[in-house]
């Protein structure tokens, strides 16, 4: 059993204590993802309570793309979340975690017929429809493939909201691959086609983007989707039973970041939707589907420092690189999104003066993970670093680039014990997909 985590230093982000880090590294090695179960459960409860306090008919879904580790899906479902899946693989994982398909929402902008039929055969509860081809496939096959299954259909809408975030995680603007545009009439035509085909249209969904520190875009998205629901009732007599305003609430990757408090965020989004719905006679279930904001701050990544190398740097004199035993393959977000993280030395405990380092990975790329971070000046090979706020989009985006095995994930339980919830890949697993044709080498 591990010692219980020490108190946080400045904020509510989970940190591994030096005592726990020592035990975890000796037991599982590095790189190592670590998730704190109590922190994750408490974050879900905080979100559920905040949402219900402002709107009783609310539903929280866990977006598994943020962290698709089976044990975390099971925890989220146990805490009352429905499960948002964006592929057959994520659905299969949710089923393996003990989540009924009826509690899942199946997303995706390009679902194959095989994926849809598998989902329906398992009893999927909800399908988030993304394009007219999907409507037509469901319209022509619905009676046959749903003889004993009755999934509800939700139309994903593009509300035309361009949020303040990285352009690669902005999804609600008009120029997007996702959903039916409201502005060009596609969304209304989709509603009409569903009604004509007798499809079980349940409601509407929008998602404007991720890592939103300013809630205005999400508030506007909630308002626009509710406005659209009112318009569909007025023009076509259709009353939406469900409106999902997506996820996207930002997290504290750096201590200087100030995400909107969950309670305030829920209040703003709900009030915007309620104002648009007032007097319409529509009283839908309101849904949200956070992923990052539920699990990111519950996790850290542990690395061991290897080479420390000072090099000439034009304009600054010298840059000191500290290479760790991971990198692009276990955290691609700095390369993809210019993501910033807070890095701390956890073993040995920091003492004395600080110096500026660039923490790099060990891959055949520039692989500059964390540029210009303050670490103890006496940093040396063998020291252990922890990177805060890596519970989301690290494990789920990990790869085998340069043929590095994907890391293990350890779960610190609520009683202080530890369980391995993903083991480190071994070499046999990595090579298992390779096929050498006969006669290729003579």
């Amino acid at each position: 059993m591990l010692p219980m985590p020490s108190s946080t230093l400045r904020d509510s982000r989970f940190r591994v204590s030096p005592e726990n880090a020592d035990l975890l590294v000796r037991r599982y090695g590095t790189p190592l993802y670590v998730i704190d179960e109590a922190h994750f459960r408490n974050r879900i409860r905080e979100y559920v309570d905040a949402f219900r306090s402002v709107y009783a008919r609310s539903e929280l879904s866990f977006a598994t793309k943020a962290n698709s580790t089976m044990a975390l899906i099971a925890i989220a479902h146990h805490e009352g979340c429905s499960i948002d899946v964006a592929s057959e693989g994520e659905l299969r994982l949710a089923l393996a975690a003990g989540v009924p398909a009826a509690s899942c929402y199946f997303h995706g902008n390009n679902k194959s017929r095989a994926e849809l039929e598998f989902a329906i055969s398992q009893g999927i509860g909800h399908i988030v429809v993304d394009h007219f081809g999907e409507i037509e496939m469901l319209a022509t096959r619905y009676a046959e493939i749903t003889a004993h299954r009755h999934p509800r259909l939700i139309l994903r809408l593009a509300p035309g909201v361009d949020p303040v975030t990285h352009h690669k995680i902005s999804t609600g603007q008009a120029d997007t691959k996702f959903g039916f545009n409201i502005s060009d009439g596609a969304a209304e035509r989709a509603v009409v086609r569903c009604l004509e085909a007798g499809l079980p249209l349940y409601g509407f969904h929008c998602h404007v983007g991720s890592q939103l520190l300013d809630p205005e875009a999400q508030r506007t998205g909630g308002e626009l989707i509710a406005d659209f629901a009112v318009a569909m009732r007025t023009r076509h007599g259709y009353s939406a039973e469900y409106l999902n305003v997506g996820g996207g609430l930002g997290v504290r990757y750096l201590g200087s970041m100030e995400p909107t408090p969950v309670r305030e965020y829920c209040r703003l989004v709900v009030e915007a939707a309620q104002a648009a719905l007032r007097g319409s006679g529509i009283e839908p279930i309101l849904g949200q589907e956070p992923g990052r904001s539920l699990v990111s701050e519950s996790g850290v990544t542990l690395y061991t420092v290897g080479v420390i190398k000072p090099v000439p740097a034009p304009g600054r004199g010298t840059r000191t690189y500290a290479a760790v035993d991971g990198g692009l393959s276990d955290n691609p977000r700095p390369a993809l999104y210019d993501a910033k993280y807070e890095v701390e030395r956890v073993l040995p405990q920091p003492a004395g003066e600080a110096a500026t380092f660039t923490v790099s990975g060990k891959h055949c790329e520039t692989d500059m993970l964390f540029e210009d971070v303050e670490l103890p000046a006496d940093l040396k090979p063998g020291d252990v670093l922890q990177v805060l706020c890596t519970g989301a989009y690290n494990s789920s985006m990990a790869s085998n680039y340069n043929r590095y095995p994907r890391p293990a994930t350890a779960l610190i339980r609520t009683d202080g014990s530890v369980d391995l919830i993903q083991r480190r890949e071994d070499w046999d697993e990595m090579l298992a997909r390779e096929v050498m044709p006969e006669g290729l080498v003579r």
Side-chain angles (χ1 to χ4, degrees), residues 12 138 209 221 428:
S12 62
L138 290 166
D428 289 338

Side-chain angles (χ1 to χ4, degrees), residues 125-355:
H126 310 84
I127 298 172
V128 182
V129 179
D130 202 272
H131 57 91
F132 284 102
E134 195 171 351
I135 291 177
E136 294 309 317
M137 195 285 286
L138 290 166
T140 56
R141 298 288 310 281
Y142 197 84
E144 175 186 345
I145 63 182
T146 63
H148 303 292
R149 310 287 186 181
H150 302 284
R152 293 164 161 172
L153 306 186
I154 299 161
L155 297 181
R156 176 158 183 170
L157 310 182
V161 177
D162 196 359
V164 180
T165 190
H166 193 281
H167 70 278
K168 291 184 180 178
I169 49 176
S170 177
T171 58
Q173 66 274 22
D175 181 6
T176 177
K177 72 175 186 178
F178 295 104
F180 301 92
N181 259 273
I182 293 177
S183 62
D184 70 354
E188 183 168 359
R189 294 196 301 276
V191 172
V192 171
R193 180 64 187 120
C194 286
L195 297 178
E196 288 175 346
L199 294 173
L201 185 59
Y202 186 45
F204 308 118
H205 167 284
C206 74
H207 178 64
V208 301
S210 295
Q211 186 52 16
L212 305 178
L213 297 176
D214 180 352
E216 178 59 24
Q218 201 71 4
R219 191 201 66 77
T220 302
E223 179 180 35
L224 290 175
I225 194 175
D227 282 339
F228 181 79
V230 173
M232 293 306 96
R233 179 179 170 91
T234 301
R235 296 175 196 167
H236 305 290
Y238 169 72
S239 292
E241 300 175 63
Y242 176 83
L243 298 179
N244 189 315
V245 296
L249 176 61
V251 298
R252 192 188 296 271
Y253 283 113
L254 301 175
S256 59
M257 292 179 174
E258 291 292 341
T260 304
V262 171
R263 191 167 293 274
E264 176 70 3
Y265 176 82
C266 290
R267 182 187 66 79
L268 290 170
V269 172
V270 167
E271 286 181 354
Q274 284 182 313
L277 293 172
R278 192 168 294 121
S280 68
I282 302 173
E283 297 181 358
I285 294 170
L286 285 183
Q288 291 190 62
E289 51 184 36
R292 182 197 316 265
S293 60
L294 293 184
V295 72
S296 188
E297 295 184 9
S298 302
V300 302
T301 303
L302 300 180
Y303 294 108
T304 299
V305 176
V307 175
I308 296 179
K309 181 188 295 184
V311 301
R316 60 185 291 162
T318 301
R319 182 193 298 273
T320 302
Y321 285 94
V324 295
D325 55 351
L328 181 63
S329 63
D330 61 74
N331 187 354
R333 296 191 66 254
L336 287 173
Y337 311 125
D338 301 315
K340 308 297 182 185
Y341 289 86
E342 199 157 323
V343 186
E344 301 173 352
R345 186 172 72 179
V346 65
L347 291 174
Q349 295 186 56
E353 295 183 357

Side-chain angles (χ1 to χ4, degrees), residues 415-429:
D415 64 359
S417 64
V418 63
D419 283 322
L420 194 66
I421 57 173
Q422 276 187 334
R423 55 183 171 77
R424 192 177 307 279
E425 280 185 315
D426 62 33
W427 301 115
D428 289 338
E429 289 172 322

Side-chain angles (χ1 to χ4, degrees), residues 80-93:
C81 293
S82 55
I83 302 298
D84 166 346
V85 300
S87 70
E88 181 177 327
E90 288 185 355
L91 174 57
R92 287 181 180 273
L93 196 65

